[in-house]
Amino acid sequence: MNNNADKSWLISEEGFNLTGASETRFAVSNGYFAVRGTTEELYDSETPGTFVAGVFDKWRAAVTELVNLPYPFGMRIYIDREYVDLRQCNVNEHKRELDMYSGMLTREYLVTDARGRSMRVKTVRLASMEEGRRHLGAAHITVICENFNGVICVEQFIDCNVYNLKNNPNERERHFHAVTYADDIYAAVVCETKDEKYNVSIGVGANVSGVRNGNHIGRHSRCFDNFTAIYDDFEVQEGTIIQIERITTVQRRGELCSPEICEGLELGWDKISTGHCAAMAEIWEKANITIEGDPEADRALRFCIYSLICSANPSDESVSIGAKGLHGEGYKGHVFWDTELFMLPFFTYSLPDYARTLLSYRWHTLEGAKKNAELGGYKGARYPWESADTGLEETPQWGFDYKRNKVRIWTGDIEIHITCDIVYALREYYLATGDEKFLKERATPIILETARFWASRLEYDEKRDVYEIKGVIGPDEFHEHVDNNAYTNSLVKWNMLYAAELSDDTEEAKIWIKMAEKIFIPRSGGLIEQYDGFFKKKDVLVTEFDENHMPLWPEGVDITKLSNYQLVKQADVIMLMHLLDGEFTPEEMQKNYIYYENRTMHKSSLSPSMYALLGVRTGQYGKAYTNFMRTVMTDIADNQGNTAHGIHAAAAGGAWCAMFYGFLGVKVDKNGELTVNPWLPEKWKKITMNFYFRGERMRLTCTKDGFELENLG
Amino acid sequence: MNNNADKSWLISEEGFNLTGASETRFAVSNGYFAVRGTTEELYDSETPGTFVAGVFDKWRAAVTELVNLPYPFGMRIYIDREYVDLRQCNVNEHKRELDMYSGMLTREYLVTDARGRSMRVKTVRLASMEEGRRHLGAAHITVICENFNGVICVEQFIDCNVYNLKNNPNERERHFHAVTYADDIYAAVVCETKDEKYNVSIGVGANVSGVRNGNHIGRHSRCFDNFTAIYDDFEVQEGTIIQIERITTVQRRGELCSPEICEGLELGWDKISTGHCAAMAEIWEKANITIEGDPEADRALRFCIYSLICSANPSDESVSIGAKGLHGEGYKGHVFWDTELFMLPFFTYSLPDYARTLLSYRWHTLEGAKKNAELGGYKGARYPWESADTGLEETPQWGFDYKRNKVRIWTGDIEIHITCDIVYALREYYLATGDEKFLKERATPIILETARFWASRLEYDEKRDVYEIKGVIGPDEFHEHVDNNAYTNSLVKWNMLYAAELSDDTEEAKIWIKMAEKIFIPRSGGLIEQYDGFFKKKDVLVTEFDENHMPLWPEGVDITKLSNYQLVKQADVIMLMHLLDGEFTPEEMQKNYIYYENRTMHKSSLSPSMYALLGVRTGQYGKAYTNFMRTVMTDIADNQGNTAHGIHAAAAGGAWCAMFYGFLGVKVDKNGELTVNPWLPEKWKKITMNFYFRGERMRLTCTKDGFELENLG
């Protein structure tokens, strides 16, 4: 089925290790629903996660969160009515392998129980990427009885005993009521979320597709209030091979899934997997990048791209990609600026229909953004720092520190740059696609409303005759309540000027231009000061690194008082220099890069990609490569230490950005002129990728000797 | 608290081994409720069992079964919000110890997590044996933080995600609906069984009784539809010691447990445990037996007695002891002849008030027994082979073999000797206690109704002028549908004659006597033939034994056709010779003992005790001791291989019988004359026990030189 099954397409794991990071890496997801890579048996040390994009609920939780739904991939095997619990057995072999090309996860193990009975089990699972079939999951299961006679029972179950924040005794929550069903065809559950009354219907059906040297005795089912299952019993002997096809349906609706389960069973594994693989192949044809000469970077960048592909659904404009993909509960499934500035470029150039869908999410949530502005006493639209299903601000106002002291969280109030970040992505999409219809109908209303917000948000300083933005948080969250963050002020200025271009209301546009021109940007001798007074903070340099090349805290730093230092959490000024690179000279860029790079802790996974990108632009090639490897390895090496909570989708998108804008040096100016200016690290022999530009398919091939840009039409 | 904490009172386990047999051995039970010895954390490989005597339900199950209720002893510990899962940690030490004297289970472990944080945890748990407090469970918990600073969260939970037959995918069932509650004082659940509408109210409360070198931050709770918990957070440092008292209430009622939880919290661990220990001490004063010179036998017999003590509640006449105690789901919690013929003697002589209560259960279920007779077309009362809450026959008519073929189960139809067995126990109780009131009011109605049953059940053979009982199963279940089982026929005869003695209706009594005298008993040259034609079956001898001294199948035996052999599952003729020993000469007893002993597979745990008992009587001393050790070790060594399903209460009671009637040679004749005729195995130096006889307290001390029987008044 997969002709590309060489190692560059595989993410593998040997041994029976159940880690949260592996659950994230081995999630199967199609942007509509996702199931974390927990075992079929579902051991209680695992953290199952089943998510449906857009299904949020608050109830007793601090904030609205992506709902962890019943686990639909359950399967347990019983030999003579004894459950084969791998933790109680000798696990002779255990391997999991994600084939990114086919988007299928294989697990294979050989297990010997305490009575010496050995069994080999292989499961292949997928979440269909085929259009019209994204509600379908499928699995192909092979059980080989190695050395015993008896009866094997295979249980296919849905387990509703799942929680959000399962392992946090203070905040654990179950967000749905479940009604379970079972008959001889399928087991099913219909969920209703507690606050929001979203419905999700989940079902499992199975076909015994083959039994060799054995006998399928029969099928029965059992249904409990939080657990439902179907069972197949087999008479087996040494050498018996059982093959089962399992169909899972996950749908946003309140009716039973019976028709879809039956449809899925009729289609069968072959048709479903073939359709899914064809869809994946089509996507890879558009989205793949190869780096010849550096297998580690090549495979890791592919995993970044794979993670992005699996997180988006081009058919649903009501949802966008959360900071952790659909792969975990981290950040509650909320959507941040991560999507627009880090992930969107990949979609804009590789899968522009996906990009349009993702940006439409902001259009659909414009009313919520207007409400946010109004609640703050402002005009226009302020997009929420954390967004869920309505566009209303979802950032919690309060959290708890580890001693359960209440701590005020300010990002939802004052990390306002998200609003101009969205506008930036809208323009980037327009420049790359020339999608006039989208610009007119969906982007422009957003852009005008955001400019109205900024006009009302700016504070005029009569003495200096400047507009200021005080009391914000910039991208660098080590420093809160700062005035005139260079990044924010520059993007706001740009946002207002761009809005003025698009506006039909010349009076309003004139005011925006006048105000924008007077927005204060702190500079000091070629160095951009991150915000008013940043250069007066204590200066310390990053000099030590851990085994993943991640910075260690400089000696003597009091990490409870980070606002006193010039240490930076993540790219802030450097991010600005990428987005508005036309406004800075090469010398300024280099000077700022060196200054900030030495002071950046990369405590956000959004950081290394920007230092990779700007590293190439500023000739800091060593730093560029180090930071590129940091960003592509984020989830493979778990170098942020929290891959268990979901993929770092912005690091994945940022890796693509570092490749595209950085190493390949692609640039589209405001007139829509595309230029390429590649630089390749020493190891790299050749980079190949396709992308879309203004509706045309381009193939870009770069070597150390130059590049070729073909228009494939 | 316990001055007897030498090894003879302790059942210990070293290491972190979670076996079903240990869950049974370490159950805490007071006859009102029981909780199996699963860990506080409740790992999913464990088989939790929480039972309330008399709470049965059928719903979708094959037969009415003792309901597995929510697990009320749950406790998990989180360090900085990470669950300390022992399976993911280095378990440096782990020990469990049941102190039979105090009836308390201690668990202590030292664990180091993946981050190197070490914690020592000690829990002591009990189910109160104090009268008026049998609804109370209590635990004392100590957590010692060995080497870290942070926050420890202690979660006390009730888990409703429990099943009957959890590990059997074909028959797994949940028999109750649960409604959960939680507030800052307690977490609770109210259950209603699905068919029978029994209510059980369970609650958990906790008091932080001490924190040294640390700080109790606060209390909160969380409640889900199938799980409810209270939480205490502690700021800890190296050396912090936390002490918590947990109160659990388990009650048969439909109202919330809040008053009892508050009462329990007010009483506190000290008062509850002191009261419980005083009750235990009082029981042991009556029930203990010591065997000097044989520590293994001494401790094992004590464990048998302990198991019986914990299985009975002298305050509830509506329940009796199931074949597996209250310690597991084996035999569905049903009551068999095990109770009357194997367990009752212990209670009759050591705790006669318990015996009266247990026998009263048969009086309360007499209506059910009459219904059974009526349904079979007979008169009088036929007690069910398996009894639950009504006295109606609860034996399933159909079961499944391992290939899920339907198999007819006949014991409920034709293993009718249970009815005369109950009468035997009633007479034994009367002879030992002289309880005329009970004899008149409760025993006599039963005895008369059973005689009426037998009179209608007997079949007259005109040719031989005898009464026969055809088509039965005797105690030996290897042979079904047999005619004239010697055991059954002899006991029926005895039953009818005894009824005639007690009857006021001389006409009816005369008929009974006439019929009884003509009941056919198969004998053949001094050998009792187990049933008509037994001696014509293929003859094979038992010659090989396993490591637990249990018989192995003789070579060549086809175990699917056991009815073709003279192999015997368990004591049958030998059991008869114990019960009606006056009817056999010493020579007959010896001859039969040798014959049947060589052909008994001991595939029932009821068997070895009778061979021990009769071994002494017939001078087969080696066999007597071997079989005594088999029966006392049944659950400690798990020599039947199924201790996981519950204790072998009949083996425990049988061990007591073997000691009392066998080694000590105590006999009470039908005139109420008590004689003692001890024989001690070589190792044994001295046996000491107290018992009650006709309301007087007796102390019996035996050595090889003789015995002393003191009347303590």
Side-chain angles (χ1 to χ4, degrees):
Chain A
M1 193 165 298
N2 169 14
N3 300 317
N4 290 288
D6 60 79
K7 286 208 174 155
S8 66
W9 290 90
L10 300 177
I11 305 292
S12 305
E13 178 193 74
E14 294 277 354
F16 183 51
N17 306 311
L18 304 178
T19 68
S22 288
E23 292 171 0
T24 295
R25 287 180 206 116
F26 292 137
V28 301
S29 172
N30 60 19
Y32 178 64
F33 80 92
V35 180
R36 284 167 64 77
T38 37
T39 61
E40 281 78 15
E41 304 90 88
L42 200 57
Y43 299 104
D44 57 6
S45 58
E46 298 186 283
T47 311
T50 304
F51 307 107
V52 172
V55 176
F56 288 94
D57 191 71
K58 182 173 183 302
W59 202 43
R60 300 180 302 191
V63 290
T64 287
E65 52 194 18
L66 190 64
V67 175
N68 199 333
L69 291 158
Y71 183 64
F73 281 0
M75 179 180 80
R76 292 192 183 120
I77 301 177
Y78 301 78
I79 302 178
D80 293 343
R81 302 200 185 175
E82 277 181 47
Y83 167 41
V84 183
D85 178 336
L86 265 60
R87 293 160 316 175
Q88 314 287 317
C89 294
N90 188 11
V91 182
N92 314 84
E93 299 171 22
H94 193 279
K95 184 173 186 176
R96 291 195 284 184
E97 193 162 80
L98 170 69
D99 176 355
M100 296 185 274
Y101 188 74
S102 66
M104 299 205 283
L105 177 71
T106 300
R107 178 186 181 210
E108 186 167 357
Y109 61 85
L110 175 66
V111 61
T112 304
D113 74 5
R115 296 172 199 259
R117 297 175 296 199
S118 293
M119 178 175 77
R120 181 177 288 280
V121 178
K122 184 177 174 182
T123 63
V124 186
R125 55 164 95 157
L126 63 84
S128 176
M129 292 288 279
E130 193 176 357
E131 266 323 297
R133 291 193 186 152
R134 287 198 190 232
H135 64 286
L136 276 183
H140 188 271
I141 298 147
T142 309
V143 180
I144 303 174
C145 164
E146 299 274 337
N147 65 349
F148 60 93
N149 299 337
V151 170
I152 280 183
C153 175
V154 181
E155 174 189 56
Q156 312 281 357
F157 66 85
I158 302 175
D159 189 356
C160 307
N161 290 304
V162 295
Y163 297 96
N164 278 71
L165 291 165
K166 174 192 172 189
N167 293 318
N168 183 331
N170 300 309
E171 294 173 32
R172 185 184 298 155
E173 197 52 88
R174 185 176 298 160
H175 279 288
F176 56 86
H177 299 288
V179 182
T180 51
Y181 304 85
D183 65 18
D184 274 1
I185 312 276
Y186 65 93
V189 58
V190 176
C191 305
E192 183 180 71
T193 61
K194 288 184 176 170
D195 257 1
E196 305 295 347
K197 309 302 177 201
Y198 286 118
N199 286 119
V200 175
S201 177
I202 297 177
V204 165
N207 270 339
V208 175
S209 55
V211 185
R212 211 161 72 194
N213 293 327
N215 174 30
H216 183 205
I217 302 172
R219 159 74 58 87
H220 63 111
S221 67
R222 287 202 74 82
C223 172
F224 304 97
D225 49 355
N226 272 296
F227 183 95
T228 179
I230 51 175
Y231 299 86
D232 288 293
D233 288 318
F234 301 89
E235 197 179 340
V236 301
Q237 52 185 318
E238 192 179 318
T240 299
I241 302 177
I242 299 165
Q243 292 190 306
I244 299 174
E245 302 180 4
R246 181 179 63 218
I247 304 301
T248 305
T249 57
V250 181
Q251 292 159 282
R252 277 182 65 168
R253 70 167 194 208
E255 292 77 45
L256 259 184
C257 57
S258 32
E260 288 78 9
I261 282 286
C262 293
E263 247 175 67
L265 288 170
E266 207 155 302
L267 281 168
W269 167 259
D270 282 349
K271 283 200 184 128
I272 294 172
S273 62
T274 305
H276 164 74
C277 289
M280 284 301 298
E282 200 183 307
I283 293 169
W284 280 119
E285 178 61 27
K286 299 172 181 172
N288 189 34
I289 298 178
T290 58
I291 306 172
E292 288 176 38
D294 191 346
E296 189 181 16
D298 176 67
R299 188 178 72 116
L301 176 60
R302 190 160 295 112
F303 184 63
C304 291
I305 294 169
Y306 178 77
S307 299
L308 294 170
I309 290 169
C310 292
S311 301
N313 173 7
S315 311
D316 188 354
E317 295 181 348
S318 74
V319 300
S320 185
I321 306 175
K324 297 287 187 174
L326 261 184
H327 297 60
E329 292 175 10
Y331 292 119
K332 318 287 187 194
H334 291 173
V335 181
F336 294 69
W337 70 314
D338 306 40
T339 314
E340 276 74 17
L341 289 193
F342 292 80
M343 305 175 219
L344 240 295
F346 161 73
F347 290 106
T348 292
Y349 285 99
S350 299
L351 301 163
D353 50 331
Y354 284 63
R356 187 176 58 246
T357 302
L358 291 164
L359 288 167
S360 292
Y361 164 76
R362 298 297 191 179
W363 181 72
H364 286 288
T365 56
L366 179 57
E367 284 312 305
K370 284 179 171 175
K371 188 81 188 165
N372 297 329
E374 191 190 328
L375 286 170
Y378 300 108
K379 296 207 168 68
R382 177 181 77 72
Y383 278 91
W385 177 243
E386 300 190 23
S387 188
D389 47 351
T390 61
L392 293 173
E393 182 59 72
E394 302 288 0
T395 311
Q397 289 202 315
W398 295 94
F400 291 95
D401 71 6
Y402 78 102
K403 291 183 183 178
R404 292 197 52 80
N405 297 315
K406 271 182 116 178
V407 178
R408 184 66 162 86
I409 297 170
W410 288 104
T411 51
D413 301 77
I414 61 175
E415 193 157 355
I416 54 178
H417 63 79
I418 171 81
T419 294
C420 32
D421 301 336
I422 289 169
V423 173
Y424 191 92
L426 291 168
R427 206 230 357 202
E428 194 169 29
Y429 170 77
Y430 170 69
L431 286 179
T433 62
D435 187 343
E436 298 286 351
K437 184 170 187 297
F438 183 85
L439 177 69
K440 193 173 159 210
E441 291 176 4
R442 298 195 162 177
T444 301
I446 294 174
I447 296 164
L448 298 180
E449 290 295 352
T450 56
R452 280 176 199 129
F453 168 68
W454 294 124
S456 69
R457 175 64 179 82
L458 289 173
E459 301 150 71
Y460 183 59
D461 176 8
E462 259 184 74
K463 223 167 83 186
R464 295 196 286 169
D465 186 26
V466 295
Y467 282 96
E468 298 184 290
I469 307 177
K470 292 184 171 176
V472 301
I473 303 174
D476 162 32
E477 293 172 339
F478 285 174
H479 301 92
E480 298 186 330
H481 306 290
V482 303
D483 298 342
N484 296 314
N485 168 251
Y487 174 96
T488 306
N489 286 18
S490 303
L491 265 290
V492 168
K493 179 179 175 176
W494 172 89
N495 182 346
M496 292 178 80
L497 293 173
Y498 184 44
E501 275 180 39
L502 294 173
S503 176
D504 291 333
D505 180 340
T506 48
E507 278 314 301
E508 194 181 30
K510 265 190 206 161
I511 294 168
W512 290 345
I513 293 166
K514 203 172 146 192
M515 292 178 88
E517 299 294 359
K518 289 190 177 175
I519 291 175
F520 175 69
I521 314 287
R523 295 204 183 204
S524 165
L527 271 185
I528 309 294
E529 188 169 20
Q530 189 174 292
Y531 58 82
D532 284 355
F534 178 78
F535 289 146
K536 292 186 189 126
K537 301 283 175 179
K538 280 184 217 165
D539 199 12
V540 281
L541 297 181
V542 172
T543 53
E544 306 281 341
F545 301 88
D546 73 10
E547 71 280 9
N548 285 317
H549 314 292
M550 301 302 284
L552 294 170
W553 292 107
E555 233 174 285
V557 167
D558 178 353
I559 63 165
T560 66
K561 288 174 184 159
L562 288 174
S563 63
N564 293 345
Y565 300 88
Q566 287 190 47
L567 285 176
V568 175
K569 182 181 176 190
Q570 67 193 92
D572 186 310
V573 168
I574 297 311
M575 181 86 196
L576 168 63
M577 291 188 156
H578 156 52
L579 297 178
L580 301 181
D581 61 351
E583 301 190 4
F584 305 94
T585 65
E587 294 71 29
E588 277 178 323
M589 284 171 76
Q590 193 179 58
K591 189 169 179 181
N592 280 281
Y593 185 92
I594 292 167
Y595 190 85
Y596 284 106
E597 205 276 337
N598 278 322
R599 289 162 179 81
T600 297
M601 289 299 298
H602 296 302
K603 288 291 176 192
S604 162
S605 66
L606 280 60
S607 190
S609 59
M610 291 301 121
Y611 278 97
L613 196 166
L614 263 289
V616 183
R617 294 272 186 89
T618 59
Q620 304 294 307
Y621 298 122
K623 301 281 186 193
Y625 185 74
T626 302
N627 279 299
F628 181 73
M629 290 310 292
R630 278 177 184 155
T631 195
V632 291
M633 294 303 287
T634 306
D635 290 316
I636 290 180
D638 194 9
N639 65 22
Q640 292 282 337
N642 57 3
T643 292
H645 302 153
I647 55 154
H648 293 80
W656 188 93
C657 294
M659 173 57 83
F660 192 71
Y661 301 118
F663 295 107
L664 297 175
V666 181
K667 197 182 278 189
V668 179
D669 73 11
K670 62 182 173 183
N671 304 315
E673 207 65 42
L674 183 142
T675 55
V676 179
N677 179 24
W679 176 88
L680 271 57
E682 198 182 336
K683 284 193 210 170
W684 296 10
K685 294 199 176 106
K686 187 170 160 192
I687 305 171
T688 314
M689 75 176 292
N690 296 344
F691 63 89
Y692 283 94
F693 185 64
R694 303 209 155 227
E696 314 265 276
R697 237 169 120 211
M698 318 295 283
R699 171 164 297 160
L700 177 58
T701 316
C702 293
T703 62
K704 292 221 173 53
D705 302 327
F707 70 88
E708 190 184 354
L709 184 64
E710 287 171 89
N711 187 327
L712 306 176
Chain B
M1 193 163 295
N2 169 13
N3 300 317
N4 292 289
D6 60 78
K7 289 210 172 152
S8 65
W9 290 90
L10 300 178
I11 305 291
S12 305
E13 177 194 75
E14 294 277 354
F16 183 49
N17 305 312
L18 304 178
T19 68
S22 288
E23 292 171 0
T24 295
R25 287 180 206 115
F26 292 137
V28 301
S29 172
N30 59 20
Y32 178 64
F33 80 92
V35 180
R36 282 168 65 78
T38 38
T39 61
E40 281 77 16
E41 303 89 86
L42 201 57
Y43 299 103
D44 58 7
S45 58
E46 297 186 284
T47 311
T50 303
F51 307 106
V52 172
V55 175
F56 288 93
D57 191 70
K58 183 172 182 305
W59 203 42
R60 300 180 301 190
V63 289
T64 288
E65 53 194 18
L66 190 65
V67 175
N68 199 333
L69 291 158
Y71 184 64
F73 281 0
M75 180 180 81
R76 293 192 183 119
I77 301 177
Y78 301 79
I79 302 177
D80 294 343
R81 301 200 186 175
E82 278 181 46
Y83 167 40
V84 183
D85 178 335
L86 264 60
R87 292 160 318 175
Q88 313 287 317
C89 295
N90 188 9
V91 182
N92 315 85
E93 299 171 21
H94 193 280
K95 184 172 185 175
R96 292 195 284 185
E97 194 162 80
L98 170 69
D99 176 353
M100 296 185 273
Y101 188 74
S102 65
M104 300 205 283
L105 176 71
T106 300
R107 178 185 180 211
E108 187 166 356
Y109 60 85
L110 176 65
V111 60
T112 304
D113 73 6
R115 296 172 198 260
R117 298 175 296 199
S118 293
M119 177 174 78
R120 181 177 287 279
V121 178
K122 184 177 173 181
T123 62
V124 186
R125 56 164 93 154
L126 63 86
S128 177
M129 292 288 280
E130 195 178 354
E131 266 324 298
R133 290 191 186 154
R134 285 197 191 232
H135 64 287
L136 275 183
H140 188 270
I141 297 147
T142 310
V143 180
I144 302 173
C145 164
E146 298 274 336
N147 65 348
F148 60 93
N149 300 336
V151 170
I152 280 183
C153 175
V154 181
E155 175 188 56
Q156 312 280 359
F157 67 85
I158 302 174
D159 189 355
C160 307
N161 290 303
V162 295
Y163 297 95
N164 278 73
L165 290 166
K166 173 191 172 191
N167 293 319
N168 182 333
N170 299 310
E171 294 173 30
R172 188 183 293 154
E173 197 51 87
R174 186 175 297 158
H175 279 288
F176 57 85
H177 298 288
V179 182
T180 52
Y181 304 85
D183 65 17
D184 275 1
I185 311 274
Y186 65 92
V189 58
V190 176
C191 304
E192 184 179 71
T193 60
K194 289 183 176 171
D195 258 0
E196 305 295 346
K197 308 303 178 199
Y198 286 117
N199 286 117
V200 174
S201 176
I202 296 176
V204 166
N207 269 338
V208 176
S209 55
V211 186
R212 211 160 73 193
N213 294 327
N215 175 29
H216 183 207
I217 300 169
R219 159 74 57 87
H220 63 111
S221 67
R222 287 198 82 75
C223 173
F224 304 96
D225 50 354
N226 272 297
F227 183 96
T228 179
I230 51 174
Y231 299 86
D232 288 291
D233 287 320
F234 301 90
E235 198 177 343
V236 301
Q237 53 185 318
E238 193 179 316
T240 299
I241 301 177
I242 299 165
Q243 292 190 306
I244 298 174
E245 301 179 5
R246 179 178 67 218
I247 304 301
T248 305
T249 57
V250 181
Q251 293 159 281
R252 277 181 66 165
R253 70 166 193 207
E255 291 78 45
L256 259 183
C257 57
S258 33
E260 287 77 10
I261 282 287
C262 294
E263 247 174 66
L265 289 169
E266 206 156 299
L267 281 168
W269 167 259
D270 282 348
K271 281 199 185 128
I272 294 172
S273 61
T274 304
H276 165 74
C277 289
M280 283 302 296
E282 200 183 308
I283 292 168
W284 280 120
E285 179 61 26
K286 298 172 183 173
N288 190 35
I289 298 178
T290 58
I291 305 173
E292 287 176 41
D294 190 345
E296 190 182 15
D298 176 66
R299 189 178 70 117
L301 177 61
R302 191 161 294 113
F303 183 63
C304 291
I305 295 170
Y306 178 77
S307 298
L308 294 170
I309 291 169
C310 292
S311 300
N313 173 7
S315 310
D316 188 354
E317 294 181 350
S318 73
V319 300
S320 186
I321 306 175
K324 296 287 187 174
L326 261 184
H327 297 61
E329 292 174 10
Y331 291 118
K332 319 289 188 192
H334 292 172
V335 181
F336 292 70
W337 69 317
D338 306 38
T339 314
E340 276 73 16
L341 288 194
F342 291 80
M343 305 176 219
L344 240 293
F346 161 73
F347 290 106
T348 292
Y349 284 98
S350 297
L351 300 164
D353 49 331
Y354 285 61
R356 190 177 53 245
T357 303
L358 291 165
L359 289 168
S360 292
Y361 164 77
R362 297 296 190 179
W363 182 71
H364 286 288
T365 55
L366 180 57
E367 285 310 306
K370 284 179 172 174
K371 188 83 190 161
N372 296 332
E374 190 191 328
L375 286 170
Y378 299 108
K379 296 208 168 68
R382 180 181 76 72
Y383 278 90
W385 177 244
E386 300 190 22
S387 188
D389 47 353
T390 61
L392 294 173
E393 182 59 71
E394 302 288 0
T395 310
Q397 289 202 314
W398 293 94
F400 292 94
D401 72 7
Y402 78 104
K403 291 183 183 177
R404 292 197 52 80
N405 296 316
K406 270 182 118 179
V407 178
R408 183 67 164 83
I409 297 171
W410 289 103
T411 50
D413 301 77
I414 61 174
E415 193 157 354
I416 54 178
H417 63 79
I418 171 83
T419 294
C420 32
D421 301 336
I422 289 169
V423 173
Y424 191 93
L426 290 168
R427 204 224 7 197
E428 193 169 30
Y429 170 77
Y430 169 69
L431 287 179
T433 62
D435 187 343
E436 299 285 350
K437 186 171 187 299
F438 183 84
L439 177 68
K440 193 173 160 211
E441 293 176 4
R442 298 195 162 178
T444 301
I446 294 173
I447 295 163
L448 299 180
E449 291 294 352
T450 56
R452 280 176 199 129
F453 169 69
W454 293 123
S456 69
R457 175 66 179 81
L458 288 175
E459 298 150 72
Y460 184 60
D461 176 7
E462 262 184 74
K463 222 167 84 184
R464 293 195 288 168
D465 187 27
V466 295
Y467 281 95
E468 298 184 289
I469 306 177
K470 292 184 172 176
V472 301
I473 303 174
D476 162 32
E477 293 171 339
F478 284 175
H479 301 92
E480 299 185 331
H481 308 290
V482 303
D483 298 341
N484 297 314
N485 169 247
Y487 175 95
T488 306
N489 286 17
S490 303
L491 266 289
V492 168
K493 178 179 176 178
W494 172 89
N495 183 343
M496 293 178 79
L497 293 174
Y498 185 44
E501 273 178 42
L502 295 173
S503 175
D504 291 333
D505 180 339
T506 48
E507 278 314 300
E508 194 179 31
K510 265 188 204 163
I511 296 168
W512 289 344
I513 292 167
K514 204 173 143 189
M515 293 179 86
E517 298 296 356
K518 290 188 176 178
I519 291 176
F520 176 68
I521 314 287
R523 293 202 182 204
S524 166
L527 272 186
I528 310 291
E529 188 169 22
Q530 192 174 292
Y531 58 83
D532 284 354
F534 178 79
F535 289 147
K536 293 186 189 127
K537 300 283 175 179
K538 278 185 220 163
D539 198 14
V540 280
L541 297 182
V542 173
T543 53
E544 306 281 339
F545 301 88
D546 73 9
E547 70 280 10
N548 285 315
H549 314 291
M550 301 302 284
L552 295 169
W553 293 107
E555 233 173 287
V557 167
D558 178 352
I559 63 167
T560 66
K561 290 175 183 157
L562 288 175
S563 63
N564 294 345
Y565 299 88
Q566 285 189 50
L567 285 175
V568 174
K569 182 180 176 193
Q570 66 193 92
D572 187 308
V573 169
I574 297 312
M575 181 84 195
L576 168 63
M577 291 188 156
H578 157 51
L579 297 179
L580 300 181
D581 60 352
E583 303 190 1
F584 304 93
T585 65
E587 293 70 32
E588 277 177 325
M589 286 173 75
Q590 194 179 56
K591 189 169 180 181
N592 281 280
Y593 186 91
I594 292 167
Y595 190 85
Y596 284 104
E597 206 275 338
N598 278 321
R599 289 159 179 83
T600 298
M601 288 300 299
H602 297 301
K603 287 293 175 189
S604 162
S605 66
L606 281 58
S607 191
S609 58
M610 290 303 120
Y611 278 96
L613 198 166
L614 263 288
V616 182
R617 294 272 187 91
T618 59
Q620 303 294 309
Y621 298 123
K623 302 282 185 191
Y625 185 74
T626 303
N627 279 299
F628 181 73
M629 290 311 292
R630 278 177 184 154
T631 195
V632 291
M633 295 303 287
T634 307
D635 290 316
I636 290 181
D638 193 9
N639 65 22
Q640 291 282 336
N642 57 3
T643 292
H645 303 153
I647 54 155
H648 292 80
W656 189 93
C657 293
M659 173 57 83
F660 192 71
Y661 300 118
F663 295 106
L664 296 175
V666 181
K667 196 180 283 189
V668 178
D669 72 13
K670 61 181 174 183
N671 305 315
E673 207 64 42
L674 183 141
T675 54
V676 179
N677 179 24
W679 176 86
L680 270 57
E682 197 181 335
K683 282 193 212 172
W684 296 9
K685 294 199 178 107
K686 188 171 160 191
I687 305 171
T688 314
M689 75 175 292
N690 295 345
F691 63 90
Y692 283 93
F693 185 65
R694 305 214 151 222
E696 314 265 277
R697 236 168 120 215
M698 316 296 282
R699 169 164 299 158
L700 177 58
T701 318
C702 294
T703 62
K704 290 217 176 53
D705 301 327
F707 70 91
E708 191 185 354
L709 182 65
E710 284 171 274
N711 187 328
L712 305 176

